[in-house]
Amino acid sequence: MNRPLPIIRPAALSADPAESALPCALDLDQAALEAVLAELREPPYRARQVFRSLHQRLVGSWDACTDLPARLRMALAKRYRAVSGDLVVQALSKDGTRKRLLRLQDGQEIETVAIPATSPEGATRLSVCVSTQAGCAMACTFCATGRMGLARNLTAGEIVDQVYGFGRDDPDHRPTHVVFMGMGEPLANYAATVAAVRLLSSPEGMHLSQRRLTVSTSGLVPQIRRLASEKLEITLAISLHAPTDALRAELMPINQRFPLKELIPAAADYARKTGRRVSYEYVLLNGVNDSLTQADALIRLLPRQLSHVNLIPYNATDAEYSATPPARAREFRDTLTAANLSATIRASRGRDIAAACGQLKAENRRGRADASPEGSTPT
Ligand code: SAH
Ligand code: SF4
C-alpha cells in the first residue's frame, strides 16, 4: 500500500460561517444571473460582467471583482458565495500531481486531482480530474469511492469550481484538460454534468475546447444515448474492465442492468454519431481480468473503428485485488494492438498520494481517527 507524501492542510478558504451558508453564484447560468441583477436594478450587461469574473477571470471572491462597483460587490456578497467549497487538505506528489480534498457547504467532502503532463508535441498540459458526486451508488468492487455509497449529486458550480480552484492557484498554468473521472458516476448526475461541460467550454468562461473534456461512465445506456444527441464534442470513456457479462457483473453491479449486448452498441453508436473515438477503460487486476484469453475476448467484443482501449494500472484500495505485473500488462496490450485494436497502458500518476478515486478521502478519515498518521502533517 502506498503511503501518502506530506499533506498540506491550509487554512479554510472561506472561514466566515455566515458566508458559507449562502448559495453559490457559480450555480447560476447567464439567464439566472440576469434575473438576479435585474432585481438589484443593474443594467443587463452587468450579468455578462459577473459571469466573466466568475468563470473566466476565476476571481474566487467578490472583493476581486474590481470592475464591479463596490455597492454591487457588497450586494452580491450578501446573497451569494463566489466559491463552492473549502480546501481541507492538499497532497503533492513527487511527479507534480496535486490532489485536493474539498469540503462543500453542507460538509460533504470530495476529491479533485490536477495532473501536469507534456503532450507528444511538447506542449504543457494540466489535466484536472473532477468529481461529479459525493460518493457513488454503483458499488464497483475495485473502487474506493464505490465502497462509500452515494451521499448526493454535485451541482454544476461544484463541479466546475474544482477546475477553477487549480486555475486560481497558478494563473500562468491554468487547466487545459478536464476528465470527469473523480468520485461519482457523471451520467447518474446527467444535468449537472452536461451543464458543467457547457460552462467549461463557454466562450464567456474558460473556453476549453470540448475535445479536451472526457466524461467517463460505468455504462448507463439510456444516458449514453441521450449524450450522443447533445451535439457536444467531448470524449466518452466507458469503464469496461471485463470482456464477459459474468465477470463484469461480478466487478460492476451496473452490468446486471445494462449488459454488454446493450452497452457496446450504445458506445459504438455514440462514436458513429459524434465521429469521436470512444475510450474503453480497463483496470488490470492480477489474475482476474488480465489473461490473454480475456484479451482475445476483448478483441472479439469491441469494434476496431473509433475505439481505443486504455489499460489502467490498479491503484490499491482495501479490496482484495492486486495490480497486474508490468510485463503481463505489456503482453496484454500487445495482444490487442496485434489485432489492430488501438490500446495503451496509462501512466500511473500520483501513486504516492493515493491518487485513485476515493482514496484521499479514505486516508483522511483514517488520519482523523488516528491522531498522528504516518506520513501526514496534521495542523
Ligand atoms: N464513475 C465513472 C467515473 C469515475 S471512476 C466510471 O466508473 O467510469 C474513473 C475511472 O477510475 C474508472 O474507469 C474506474 O473504473 C477507475 N478506477 C476506479 N477505482 C480504481 C482503482 N482502484 N484503480 C484504478 N482505476 C480505478
Ligand atoms: Fe462509481 Fe466509477 Fe467507482 Fe464504479 S468505478 S464505484 S461507477 S466511481
Side-chain angles (χ1 to χ4, degrees):
M1 171 91 197
N2 297 299
R3 276 271 144 217
L5 275 190
I7 282 178
I8 299 163
R9 292 170 197 267
L13 288 179
S14 63
D16 180 355
E19 185 187 328
S20 59
L22 299 173
C24 182
L26 293 170
D27 286 322
L28 305 173
D29 61 16
Q30 294 215 38
L33 266 179
E34 271 169 31
V36 168
L37 288 159
E39 221 171 274
L40 294 171
R41 297 175 193 286
E42 292 289 337
Y45 72 86
R46 287 276 187 229
R48 197 158 160 218
Q49 222 177 350
V50 173
F51 188 90
R52 281 191 174 170
S53 295
L54 294 171
H55 296 275
Q56 195 168 70
R57 291 177 50 218
L58 313 183
V59 287
S61 79
W62 295 117
D63 285 345
C65 295
T66 43
D67 53 343
L68 300 179
R71 59 171 166 73
L72 176 56
R73 274 185 268 159
M74 275 168 60
L76 287 168
K78 268 195 210 151
R79 291 166 178 79
Y80 295 97
R81 286 171 299 127
V83 289
S84 66
D86 298 326
L87 186 54
V88 181
V89 296
Q90 172 163 265
L92 304 170
S93 165
K94 283 178 282 197
D95 66 18
T97 300
R98 284 174 281 163
K99 179 157 187 164
R100 293 176 165 181
L101 186 66
L102 304 174
R103 185 172 302 127
L104 304 174
Q105 188 196 359
D106 62 352
Q108 287 300 329
E109 290 177 347
I110 55 161
E111 297 179 359
T112 182
V113 192
I115 306 158
T118 309
S119 76
E121 299 77 35
T124 310
R125 287 182 176 181
L126 185 64
S127 296
V128 175
C129 177
V130 293
S131 294
T132 53
Q133 299 181 309
C136 183
M138 298 299 155
C140 302
T141 54
F142 50 84
C143 173
T145 307
R147 296 165 92 81
M148 295 172 188
L150 175 67
R152 70 163 170 90
N153 280 336
L154 302 191
T155 65
E158 287 169 337
I159 297 171
V160 298
D161 207 24
Q162 298 168 54
V163 182
Y164 298 173
F166 288 111
R168 281 179 210 119
D169 217 29
D170 186 353
D172 294 333
H173 299 97
R174 280 190 168 194
T176 58
H177 294 69
V178 178
V179 296
F180 290 64
M181 291 191 180
M183 301 169 80
E185 166 51 54
L187 298 189
N189 185 11
Y190 187 90
T193 293
V194 170
V197 163
R198 296 214 157 100
L199 285 173
L200 292 168
S201 56
S202 163
E204 309 281 341
M206 280 188 78
H207 204 186
L208 291 176
S209 160
Q210 288 185 355
R211 293 172 169 258
R212 294 173 165 211
L213 309 180
T214 300
V215 170
S216 179
T217 178
S218 56
L220 302 184
V221 168
Q223 287 92 327
I224 292 171
R225 295 202 172 277
R226 191 172 158 201
L227 194 66
S229 60
E230 295 278 359
K231 302 216 180 322
L232 299 173
E233 293 203 302
I234 56 175
T235 300
L236 178 68
I238 304 283
S239 292
L240 192 60
H241 307 320
T244 60
D245 278 320
L247 180 58
R248 193 165 188 272
E250 212 177 282
L251 302 175
M252 307 179 72
I254 187 68
N255 196 78
Q256 289 157 25
R257 251 170 79 201
F258 302 115
L260 293 170
K261 67 173 185 308
E262 292 178 32
L263 175 60
I264 303 301
D269 284 348
Y270 183 94
R272 254 194 308 276
K273 212 161 169 181
T274 60
R276 308 278 303 146
R277 193 166 82 156
V278 168
S279 177
Y280 294 92
E281 311 292 297
Y282 198 100
V283 58
L284 286 167
L285 304 170
N286 193 17
V288 175
N289 65 357
D290 62 350
S291 75
L292 298 187
T293 314
Q294 285 160 321
D296 285 332
L298 203 52
I299 291 165
R300 287 193 298 276
L301 179 70
L302 297 180
R304 296 287 178 288
Q305 295 293 312
L306 296 173
S307 295
H308 178 78
V309 180
N310 226 336
L311 299 167
I312 312 173
Y314 170 66
N315 269 306
T317 65
D318 290 342
E320 298 278 296
Y321 301 111
S322 60
T324 296
R328 158 60 58 136
R330 287 194 292 273
E331 237 183 313
F332 195 94
R333 176 201 58 199
D334 293 345
T335 306
L336 302 184
T337 52
N340 283 326
L341 185 57
S342 158
T344 45
I345 300 172
R346 183 190 291 167
S348 190
R349 303 292 306 272
R351 272 190 166 249
D352 50 347
I353 55 166
C357 84
Q359 285 189 316
L360 185 63
K361 181 166 171 175
E363 292 271 357
N364 198 53
R365 275 185 182 165
R366 276 196 287 272
R368 278 185 215 151
D370 165 5
S372 60
E374 186 195 327
S376 67
T377 327
T379 44

